[in-house]
């Protein structure tokens, strides 16, 4: 692939003021398109719940969303509404969990330092 073509293939994601780069070699185009709009991924939601030892019901109550919203999101049956997504991110933030997205497209969670 030429350099010009390679550069054109990159996409960006704005998240907490950080610009991250994703390359289609690491992620599929569909995942990149989702990544541009998402603040939290289903894998991160499950991992963050595990870190906090919360059930789907615990998270739903803490965030003020339905359990089925959490269940369907984590099972990747649908994307979250923007307002629900924001509530989840704020809930994890308040509980001391940091959501991580590395430039290579790897996802993670950890307790805030």
């Amino acid at each position: 692939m030429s350099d010009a073509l390679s550069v054109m293939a990159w996409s960006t994601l704005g998240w907490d003021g950080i610009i991250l780069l994703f390359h289609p070699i690491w992620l599929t185009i569909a995942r990149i398109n989702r990544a541009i709009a998402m603040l939290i991924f289903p894998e991160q939601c499950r991992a963050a719940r595990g870190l906090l030892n919360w059930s789907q019901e615990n998270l739903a109550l803490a965030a003020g969303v339905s359990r089925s919203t959490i269940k369907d999101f984590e099972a990747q049956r649908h994307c979250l509404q923007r307002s629900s997504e924001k509530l989840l991110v704020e809930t994890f933030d308040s509980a001391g969990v940091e959501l991580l997205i590395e430039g290579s497209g790897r996802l993670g969670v950890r307790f805030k330092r």
Side-chain angles (χ1 to χ4, degrees):
M1 181 180 283
S2 73
D3 288 338
L5 203 51
S6 178
V7 170
M8 289 172 53
W10 290 82
S11 295
T12 61
L13 163 69
W15 185 63
D16 285 345
I18 300 170
I19 300 299
L20 301 172
L21 299 175
F22 292 87
H23 194 279
I25 290 173
W26 300 314
L27 299 172
T28 65
I29 295 298
R31 182 134 174 132
I32 290 170
N33 288 337
R34 275 185 50 215
I36 291 169
M38 294 181 79
L39 300 174
I40 184 172
F41 289 84
E43 301 88 348
Q44 286 176 304
C45 189
R46 282 191 305 274
R49 280 194 312 101
L51 196 61
L52 296 166
N53 198 27
W54 284 1
S55 67
Q56 289 179 341
E57 185 66 31
N58 294 138
L59 175 57
L61 290 171
V65 299
S66 71
R67 184 187 162 279
S68 65
T69 296
I70 305 295
K71 179 180 156 194
D72 290 344
F73 173 62
E74 288 184 354
Q76 298 183 10
R77 288 189 188 101
H78 66 72
C79 291
L80 293 171
Q81 295 291 324
R82 202 49 142 164
S83 58
S84 297
E85 184 177 35
K86 186 176 180 205
L87 288 170
L88 289 181
V89 171
E90 289 172 353
T91 300
F92 286 132
D93 185 60
S94 296
V97 174
E98 185 177 3
L99 304 172
L100 307 168
I101 302 176
E102 293 182 10
S104 64
R106 289 185 287 186
L107 305 172
V109 298
R110 70 176 177 202
F111 283 116
K112 293 181 184 178
R113 296 178 187 195

